[in-house]
Amino acid sequence: MAPRVTIPKAEAYKLFLFFTAVQAFALTTVFTINLVYQVKQVGLNPLQLVLVGTTLELTAFLMEIPTGAVADVYSRRLSVILGFFLLGCGFIVEGSLPFFEALLLSQVIMGAGYTFLSGATSAWIVDEIGQAQAGAAFLRATQVAQVASFSAIFVSVALASVSLQLTIVVGGLLLLLLSAVLIVVMPEAGFRGRPAAERESWKSLFVTFQAGASLIRRRQILLLIMLATLIHGAFSEGFDRLWTAHLLGNFSLPQLGQMDEIVWFGIISAVSMPLTLAATEVLRRRLDMTDGRRVAVTLIGVYAALIFSVLLFILAERFALVLLGLWLTQAARAIRNPLMEAWINQHTESDVRATVLSIQGQADALGQIAGGPVVGTIGLLSSVRVAISLSALLLLPIIPVFRLTLKAKRSRHSAPD
């Protein structure tokens, strides 16, 4: 058996930031124009736009448990490398074949890729550098991702001026290259996989899943986190798939000289980046990410701001207010992600951490599967504006859920040993 490679925590931290940056650069290269491609070139209607997303989420729902358990039983490293590889393949299929059916196939491939990454990346870095440092690492990674994404916007717009399809294919190739690099340089010093005797069947995978599910059942706070994730998923699918259609269908984008309207989507992305970067820097400096109560209170504030900003985006008639609502929405959602990751990691043990995070991913997928088609059908039968308004209202129950998590945490701390 080959000796296990060990590297200093600082080196693992740097590698985490590196692949986070490359992932963000590749995804932003694609996502800056992805929905424009689906609306303009492929010609999808509101229901088809949501069904593309629902296919992705249904795949994620079915794949989250086995892929999360693979990360806990076999290797976080293997899971991450497979995730980037499949994600890259999915983008290449989408960009190469501009047909609705091909888009559905690409979502199946990408859904599998996302689930190999879900939970595994954060579980890997927690194991390598320790729980105490992980919260700050998640926030810093969010900032690094924002910087990389900002740079990618200009690349995306430049490529899109040549071809929308080319832009998506390039993003996929970057992820394939990243997976190849990680095969060579990515260590796994903090994780010990199950002994070979326990890998002979899928039984060990289901045992790990059962351990994660059992932990969630025993801890009310984890159950509430899963409920909050379900609600967030129901909101996000409709908004993510239809906001571009709202801008293209309900507004005449102001002329920018001789430049194509695609430049507006680059501007939208470019302005949201520094807003998110500034907000996460304030959190990094002022919020103790190891204080679960303060993290929960902050999440309540973030969701209140998110509901307001989505309603501003969809109800405003002036283009400037629409942009403001969109930018605030994007910033609030970016802030929410590291807060949720840090919070749930505080309540899970290492041997089931990736599985619990994957169950959270499955809850998010289930919410999107349930909410997306309903919102898309409303968008087809009524209007995109009505559909996105419904998505915002779906978020309202999440605030009392977070308030319940505060009570659950107090009850747990006050209970006798």
Side-chain angles (χ1 to χ4, degrees):
M1 181 176 178
R4 180 176 296 274
V5 176
T6 60
I7 59 174
K9 290 182 179 181
E11 296 303 314
Y13 174 68
K14 289 176 183 177
L15 182 60
F16 177 61
L17 296 184
F18 166 74
F19 70 67
T20 297
V22 176
Q23 178 187 12
F25 187 94
L27 294 182
T28 301
T29 298
V30 174
F31 291 149
T32 298
I33 57 85
N34 192 40
L35 288 173
V36 178
Y37 166 70
Q38 293 180 10
V39 172
K40 288 285 191 178
Q41 189 162 338
V42 187
L44 303 186
N45 62 40
L47 181 57
Q48 287 176 319
L49 284 168
V50 172
L51 288 178
V52 167
T54 300
T55 301
L56 175 70
E57 297 306 327
L58 181 59
T59 303
F61 178 77
L62 296 175
M63 292 289 292
E64 274 287 358
I65 298 309
T67 56
V70 164
D72 280 330
V73 173
Y74 294 99
S75 169
R76 320 299 206 198
R77 176 182 180 274
L78 174 63
S79 190
V80 170
I81 291 170
L82 283 174
F84 285 131
F85 175 78
L86 290 171
L87 199 55
C89 290
F91 283 138
I92 291 172
V93 170
E94 179 180 0
S96 301
L97 303 170
F99 307 104
F100 176 58
E101 294 78 10
L103 260 62
L104 294 180
L105 173 62
S106 73
Q107 302 308 299
V108 173
I109 299 171
M110 285 188 285
Y114 277 123
T115 55
F116 273 109
L117 292 172
S118 174
T121 53
S122 57
W124 175 80
I125 191 60
V126 169
D127 287 342
E128 298 299 314
I129 68 174
Q131 178 61 54
Q133 303 299 320
F138 292 140
L139 276 177
R140 180 60 77 188
T142 299
Q143 292 177 311
V144 168
Q146 292 300 315
V147 173
S149 296
F150 186 81
S151 303
I153 291 166
F154 303 99
V155 174
S156 181
V157 171
L159 290 172
S161 67
V162 178
S163 168
L164 291 171
Q165 289 179 259
L166 174 65
T167 310
I168 297 172
V169 171
V170 167
L173 290 174
L174 284 173
L175 290 170
L176 292 184
L177 179 60
L178 175 60
S179 67
V181 170
L182 291 179
I183 290 174
V184 178
V185 304
M186 188 176 185
E188 195 163 40
F191 171 73
R192 297 293 185 272
R194 300 290 174 83
E198 297 180 14
R199 301 182 189 179
E200 294 175 355
S201 71
W202 283 85
K203 180 179 178 181
S204 59
L205 299 181
F206 291 110
V207 168
T208 303
F209 164 65
Q210 289 171 356
S214 176
L215 178 65
I216 291 171
R217 286 196 301 269
R218 291 197 309 270
R219 296 187 182 175
Q220 183 187 8
I221 192 167
L222 286 177
L223 278 173
L224 291 169
I225 289 172
M226 297 303 161
L227 178 58
T229 302
L230 184 76
I231 295 169
H232 180 88
F235 149 76
S236 65
E237 180 65 8
F239 182 85
D240 286 341
R241 298 295 167 176
L242 297 180
W243 74 263
T244 301
H246 172 57
L247 284 183
L248 291 173
N250 294 325
F251 294 91
S252 296
L253 302 184
Q255 290 292 320
L256 296 171
Q258 300 300 314
M259 291 186 287
D260 191 271
E261 67 180 3
I262 194 69
V263 176
W264 264 113
F265 292 91
I267 292 172
I268 288 169
S269 297
V271 174
S272 71
M273 300 299 174
L275 286 177
T276 303
L277 194 63
T280 52
E281 180 63 20
V282 170
L283 282 179
R284 191 183 71 85
R285 294 187 179 191
R286 299 194 176 188
L287 180 63
D288 180 2
M289 295 291 283
T290 64
D291 185 339
R293 179 174 176 78
R294 291 190 64 188
V295 171
V297 171
T298 303
L299 278 166
I300 291 173
V302 167
Y303 271 107
L306 181 57
I307 294 168
F308 168 79
S309 60
V310 172
L311 291 175
L312 176 63
F313 167 72
I314 201 62
L315 298 177
E317 297 293 338
R318 294 178 57 188
F319 188 65
L321 291 177
V322 171
L323 289 182
L324 177 62
L326 179 58
W327 286 326
L328 291 176
T329 298
Q330 291 171 337
R333 294 182 68 187
I335 291 170
R336 173 256 182 198
N337 294 333
L339 292 174
M340 286 294 290
E341 279 192 346
W343 198 25
I344 197 169
N345 270 291
Q346 293 171 13
H347 301 286
T348 56
E349 285 74 37
S350 175
D351 59 339
V352 293
R353 182 171 288 123
T355 300
V356 170
L357 289 168
S358 288
I359 294 173
Q360 184 197 21
Q362 194 178 42
D364 181 73
L366 183 59
Q368 295 193 44
I369 292 166
V374 174
V375 172
T377 301
I378 292 172
L380 184 64
L381 298 178
S382 180
S383 70
V384 171
R385 178 174 268 126
V386 171
I388 298 179
S389 298
L390 174 63
S391 293
L393 295 178
L394 289 175
L395 274 179
L396 287 174
I398 209 166
I399 292 178
V401 169
F402 277 115
R403 290 179 64 86
L404 286 174
T405 65
L406 293 174
K407 294 180 180 178
K409 193 170 183 67
R410 282 198 301 269
S411 298
R412 185 180 173 199
H413 287 168
S414 61
D417 295 331

